[in-house]
Amino acid sequence: MKVHVLESGTMEADLTWLLLAPGRVIKPRAEKDAPRAWGKVPTHAILIDHPEGRILWDTGVPRDWQTRWEPTTFDQFFPVLDDPEGDTGYLDSSLKQLELTPDDIDILVLSHLHFDHAANAKIFDNGKTKIMTSQAELDGVASITGYNKGAHIPDDFKGLDMAGIKGDDEIVPGVSVIQTPGHTWGTMSLKVDLPNDGPKIFTSDAVYLEDSYGPPAIGAAIVWNNLAWLDSVEKLRKIQQETGAEMIFGHDEEQAKSMKFAPNGYYS
C-alpha cells in the first residue's frame, strides 16, 4: 500500500476563519490597528494505492473557483492562488503527474461536501468510481435550498450517486474513516495503517491546523456545532494516543512544507 499526498489548490484567507487564538489572530486593544493575520490555506487530496484498488480522499478546489464561488461571496474571502504558469497544483494536474485520470479511481471518499473538498466530485461521475461520504452529511445537505448554505454548494455534487457511511468504518483493510462531526453535519477523518511509515490520521477539517489541535483545542470561525467539534477533536486525540498515529491536519501551511507530496514522494 502506498499513500500519495496530492496538491489540490491553495487558497488565501484571514486566519481567523481557521483559528480563534488570542495573540495570533485575535488582537488585544494595544494592537487593534495591526494588520489582519492573512495566510495560505493549502488543500490536499490523498490517493491510496491499495491491493484492492485506488482510493481517493477529497478533491480540492475547482479551476473555475471565481465563477462558482462568486454567488456565495467566498471568492472574496478565500481566493485561490495562481502561479505564473497558470497551474496551482489542481487535482487533475496532480493525477496527471502520476499518469492517472479520474477513470483510474475505484473509490472516492469525500470527508465532507464543502466547496474546497467536494468541488471536483463530478469528474468522477464515470460509471466506475464508487463515491462515498457520511450519511449525516448527505442528510444535512438535503435540507439546503438556494445556491448555497455557507460553504456547501449543492451544484458541486447534485445528481451524484453517493453512498452514505454510518459510523466509523473500514473501507478496505488498513483504510478506515472516523466520524468527526462538528465542522459540518458529517465531517469525517481518514486513518491509514501503513507498514513502514506507521499509522496516519488525515483530519480534513475536523482539525484545521496543528495550533487548532492543542491541547487545549482551539476553535475556529467556521464550525457548525462547537460542542460536537470539540468532542471530535478529543476522539481523534484518544485514537492518536492509543495508536501513535501521525496527525496530518486539513489546511496547515507550516506542516505542508515538511510533507511528502506527489509525484516526488509517498508514504508506505
Side-chain angles (χ1 to χ4, degrees):
M1 180 165 55
K2 295 180 181 178
V3 169
H4 305 268
V5 182
L6 310 182
E7 291 183 304
S8 58
T10 297
M11 302 175 288
E12 287 186 308
D14 182 328
L15 294 181
T16 310
W17 289 105
L18 306 186
L19 189 74
L20 296 174
R24 179 169 176 188
V25 297
I26 301 176
K27 302 298 183 184
R29 63 181 180 177
E31 299 178 38
K32 64 182 181 180
D33 296 323
R36 303 287 298 182
W38 187 270
K40 293 181 180 179
V41 184
T43 73
H44 59 251
I46 305 300
L47 174 67
I48 305 168
D49 273 325
H50 192 278
E52 296 191 15
R54 291 190 182 96
I55 302 166
L56 184 68
W57 170 260
D58 280 348
T59 69
V61 302
R63 287 186 178 274
D64 61 345
W65 62 272
Q66 283 186 285
T67 302
R68 213 186 293 191
W69 297 357
E70 185 177 10
T72 74
T73 73
F74 277 119
D75 61 312
Q76 300 299 310
F77 294 94
F78 292 92
V80 179
L81 291 173
D82 290 313
D83 69 18
E85 297 178 0
D87 189 346
T88 62
Y90 290 100
L91 179 65
D92 57 345
S93 296
S94 294
L95 288 173
K96 187 176 180 180
Q97 288 176 333
L98 296 175
E99 300 183 348
L100 297 173
T101 72
D103 291 350
D104 294 310
I105 304 303
D106 298 293
I107 300 173
L108 170 62
V109 185
L110 298 168
S111 66
H112 61 297
L113 298 177
H114 271 174
F115 58 41
D116 56 327
H117 293 262
N120 294 303
K122 285 188 174 180
I123 69 174
F124 298 91
D125 188 15
N126 50 33
K128 177 196 172 187
T129 304
K130 181 178 182 179
I131 304 175
M132 312 170 74
T133 192
S134 73
Q135 185 61 50
E137 192 77 352
L138 291 175
D139 293 343
V141 298
S143 68
I144 297 175
T145 58
Y147 184 78
N148 70 294
K149 184 174 183 179
H152 286 100
I153 301 177
D155 283 350
D156 287 345
F157 46 82
K158 188 185 300 181
L160 291 177
D161 182 11
M162 289 189 285
I165 303 172
K166 298 179 179 179
D168 300 345
D169 196 15
E170 187 173 63
I171 304 300
V172 295
V175 179
S176 303
V177 293
I178 305 166
Q179 299 292 334
T180 49
H183 172 68
T184 67
W185 305 284
T187 300
M188 299 188 298
S189 300
L190 174 72
K191 182 172 178 286
V192 183
D193 298 314
L194 293 168
N196 297 317
D197 288 309
K200 298 190 181 299
I201 295 175
F202 297 91
T203 67
S204 182
D205 286 0
V207 189
Y208 287 126
L209 312 168
E210 184 175 3
D211 283 353
S212 310
Y213 193 48
I218 298 175
I222 305 180
V223 175
W224 162 72
N225 183 318
N226 283 285
L227 293 179
W229 171 82
L230 184 59
D231 286 344
S232 293
V233 175
E234 295 312 313
K235 176 181 179 178
L236 289 174
R237 198 185 313 281
K238 181 178 180 182
I239 295 171
Q240 181 199 22
Q241 291 170 346
E242 291 174 348
T243 64
E246 178 185 4
M247 305 296 289
I248 298 179
F249 304 108
H251 293 292
D252 196 308
E253 178 187 3
E254 288 304 311
Q255 186 181 45
K257 293 176 182 177
S258 63
M259 289 165 54
K260 298 177 183 178
F261 277 88
N264 299 315
Y266 59 85
Y267 300 94
S268 65

